[in-house]
Each structure stands twice: as structure tokens, then as C-alpha cells.
């Protein structure tokens, strides 16, 4: 996982990230645009950015990192790496 700022070289933040996925939690059950927390809104669908029907209904963000060990001599099969998935869901505070 890298970051790049302005005209500087890319800087590695986290080693071993094979893939990162971001999905957005929409509350699609409300008749009108959700006013949280009064109406108890919560995400009932997680979709990619290009599939968000209404950004005003996004109440959370789910981040998934697919990680692997840097060494190739720790796993028992394939390329000898251990892989693990980490997922966290973050509430969008101005929506809840």
C-alpha cells in the first residue's frame, strides 16, 4: 500500500498488501433521504463506488485489505506465503 503526495516519490505505507477493496454502505430502505439517527438508518447494501445509487444514503464505508507475508518460506502450499484478509466497517459520522 503506497501513498503519493504532489511531486514526491511514492512512499510505501504497508508491506504485503495484495489488494484493497472499498465498498460503500447504502441505506436503501428509507422512503426519503435518511436523517440519522432519528430514523435508525443502517446500511443494508454494500456496493462499489460506481454502483452507489444515491450518495446521500451512504452511511458507512467498508475497507478490505488482502495481505500476504513478505517471506516465501512460511506457508505450506503454492508460493510459500501466508495470506489473510482484514475487513473493517467505518460509520460516516455526519450520517449517523
Amino acid at each position: 500500500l503506497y501513498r503519493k503526495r504532489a511531486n514526491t516519490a511514492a512512499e510505501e505505507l504497508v508491506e504485503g498488501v495484495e489488494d484493497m477493496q472499498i465498498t460503500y454502505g447504502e441505506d436503501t430502505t428509507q422512503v426519503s433521504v435518511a436523517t440519522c439517527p432519528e430514523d435508525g438508518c443502517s446500511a443494508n447494501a454494500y456496493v462499489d463506488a460506481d454502483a452507489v445509487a444515491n450518495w446521500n444514503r451512504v452511511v458507512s464505508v467498508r475497507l478490505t485489505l488482502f495481505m500476504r507475508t513478505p517471506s516465501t518460506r512460511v506457508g505450506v502450499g503454492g508460493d510459500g506465503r501466508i495470506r489473510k484478509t482484514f475487513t473493517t466497517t467505518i460509520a460516516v459520522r455526519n450520517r449517523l
Side-chain angles (χ1 to χ4, degrees), residues 2 4 6 13-15 17 22 24 35-37 43 47 49 55 59 65 68 74 78 82-83 85:
Y2 290 82
K4 175 129 173 67
L13 297 176
V14 181
E15 183 180 15
V17 177
I22 301 171
Y24 300 88
T35 306
C36 305
V47 296
W55 284 96
V59 295
L65 294 176
R68 66 169 168 78
V74 292
I82 297 173
R83 288 177 167 77
T85 301

Side-chain angles (χ1 to χ4, degrees), residues 34-76:
T35 306
C36 305
E38 290 82 15
D39 63 3
C41 62
S42 62
N44 59 314
Y46 281 88
V47 296
D48 293 333
D50 61 351
V52 172
N54 184 340
W55 284 96
N56 290 323
R57 293 178 183 266
V58 172
V59 295
S60 59
V61 177
R62 183 168 287 163
L63 175 67
T64 302
L65 294 176
F66 298 92
M67 308 288 295
R68 66 169 168 78
T69 57
S71 176
T72 60
R73 293 182 227 146
V74 292
V76 292

Side-chain angles (χ1 to χ4, degrees), residues 14-32:
V14 181
E15 183 180 15
V17 177
E18 286 190 316
D19 190 31
M20 179 175 79
Q21 294 181 0
I22 301 171
T23 54
Y24 300 88
E26 277 189 280
D27 181 358
T28 61
T29 60
Q30 301 299 324
V31 175
S32 61

